[in-house]
mmCIF file of all heavy atoms in Angstrom:
data_model
loop_
_atom_site.group_PDB
_atom_site.id
_atom_site.type_symbol
_atom_site.label_atom_id
_atom_site.label_comp_id
_atom_site.label_asym_id
_atom_site.label_seq_id
_atom_site.Cartn_x
_atom_site.Cartn_y
_atom_site.Cartn_z
ATOM 1 N N THR E 22 18.634 -19.882 -34.872
ATOM 2 C CA THR E 22 19.505 -19.746 -36.040
ATOM 3 C C THR E 22 20.917 -19.421 -35.582
ATOM 4 O O THR E 22 21.113 -18.487 -34.783
ATOM 5 C CB THR E 22 18.998 -18.634 -36.971
ATOM 6 O OG1 THR E 22 17.656 -18.927 -37.362
ATOM 7 C CG2 THR E 22 19.869 -18.526 -38.211
ATOM 8 N N PHE E 23 21.903 -20.220 -36.105
ATOM 9 C CA PHE E 23 23.306 -19.988 -35.747
ATOM 10 C C PHE E 23 24.073 -19.487 -36.965
ATOM 11 O O PHE E 23 24.036 -20.092 -38.032
ATOM 12 C CB PHE E 23 23.949 -21.273 -35.232
ATOM 13 C CG PHE E 23 25.439 -21.145 -34.995
ATOM 14 C CD1 PHE E 23 25.918 -20.364 -33.953
ATOM 15 C CD2 PHE E 23 26.344 -21.780 -35.830
ATOM 16 C CE1 PHE E 23 27.286 -20.231 -33.726
ATOM 17 C CE2 PHE E 23 27.718 -21.648 -35.609
ATOM 18 C CZ PHE E 23 28.186 -20.885 -34.568
ATOM 19 N N THR E 24 24.788 -18.379 -36.788
ATOM 20 C CA THR E 24 25.639 -17.841 -37.852
ATOM 21 C C THR E 24 27.066 -17.776 -37.326
ATOM 22 O O THR E 24 27.326 -17.046 -36.349
ATOM 23 C CB THR E 24 25.177 -16.447 -38.282
ATOM 24 O OG1 THR E 24 23.815 -16.509 -38.706
ATOM 25 C CG2 THR E 24 26.050 -15.916 -39.412
ATOM 26 N N PRO E 25 28.022 -18.545 -37.922
ATOM 27 C CA PRO E 25 29.406 -18.534 -37.428
ATOM 28 C C PRO E 25 30.085 -17.191 -37.683
ATOM 29 O O PRO E 25 29.825 -16.524 -38.682
ATOM 30 C CB PRO E 25 30.065 -19.659 -38.213
ATOM 31 C CG PRO E 25 29.260 -19.775 -39.461
ATOM 32 C CD PRO E 25 27.855 -19.444 -39.072
ATOM 33 N N SER E 28 33.054 -17.313 -41.334
ATOM 34 C CA SER E 28 32.341 -17.966 -42.428
ATOM 35 C C SER E 28 33.281 -18.602 -43.439
ATOM 36 O O SER E 28 32.852 -19.386 -44.294
ATOM 37 C CB SER E 28 31.436 -16.956 -43.140
ATOM 38 O OG SER E 28 32.201 -15.869 -43.648
ATOM 39 N N TYR E 31 33.712 -22.122 -41.508
ATOM 40 C CA TYR E 31 32.536 -22.793 -40.952
ATOM 41 C C TYR E 31 31.302 -22.455 -41.780
ATOM 42 O O TYR E 31 31.116 -21.311 -42.213
ATOM 43 C CB TYR E 31 32.302 -22.385 -39.500
ATOM 44 C CG TYR E 31 33.466 -22.745 -38.593
ATOM 45 C CD1 TYR E 31 34.488 -21.831 -38.339
ATOM 46 C CD2 TYR E 31 33.517 -24.010 -38.006
ATOM 47 C CE1 TYR E 31 35.559 -22.177 -37.515
ATOM 48 C CE2 TYR E 31 34.581 -24.359 -37.185
ATOM 49 C CZ TYR E 31 35.600 -23.440 -36.938
ATOM 50 O OH TYR E 31 36.643 -23.778 -36.137
ATOM 51 N N LEU E 32 30.487 -23.458 -42.015
ATOM 52 C CA LEU E 32 29.254 -23.268 -42.757
ATOM 53 C C LEU E 32 28.135 -22.806 -41.823
ATOM 54 O O LEU E 32 28.149 -23.089 -40.621
ATOM 55 C CB LEU E 32 28.836 -24.573 -43.442
ATOM 56 C CG LEU E 32 29.791 -25.117 -44.501
ATOM 57 C CD1 LEU E 32 29.293 -26.463 -45.012
ATOM 58 C CD2 LEU E 32 29.944 -24.127 -45.650
ATOM 59 N N THR E 33 27.184 -22.112 -42.396
ATOM 60 C CA THR E 33 25.987 -21.723 -41.637
ATOM 61 C C THR E 33 24.990 -22.866 -41.714
ATOM 62 O O THR E 33 24.533 -23.224 -42.803
ATOM 63 C CB THR E 33 25.361 -20.444 -42.221
ATOM 64 O OG1 THR E 33 26.308 -19.382 -42.138
ATOM 65 C CG2 THR E 33 24.093 -20.074 -41.464
ATOM 66 N N PRO E 34 24.640 -23.462 -40.579
ATOM 67 C CA PRO E 34 23.700 -24.589 -40.613
ATOM 68 C C PRO E 34 22.268 -24.102 -40.803
ATOM 69 O O PRO E 34 21.977 -22.920 -40.603
ATOM 70 C CB PRO E 34 23.876 -25.216 -39.231
ATOM 71 C CG PRO E 34 24.252 -24.061 -38.362
ATOM 72 C CD PRO E 34 25.089 -23.155 -39.204
ATOM 73 N N PRO E 35 21.375 -24.990 -41.194
ATOM 74 C CA PRO E 35 19.964 -24.606 -41.308
ATOM 75 C C PRO E 35 19.400 -24.222 -39.940
ATOM 76 O O PRO E 35 19.867 -24.708 -38.911
ATOM 77 C CB PRO E 35 19.288 -25.872 -41.842
ATOM 78 C CG PRO E 35 20.387 -26.709 -42.409
ATOM 79 C CD PRO E 35 21.608 -26.396 -41.607
#
Side-chain angles (χ1 to χ4, degrees):
T22 303
F23 173 70
T24 303
S28 59
Y31 299 93
L32 297 176
T33 299

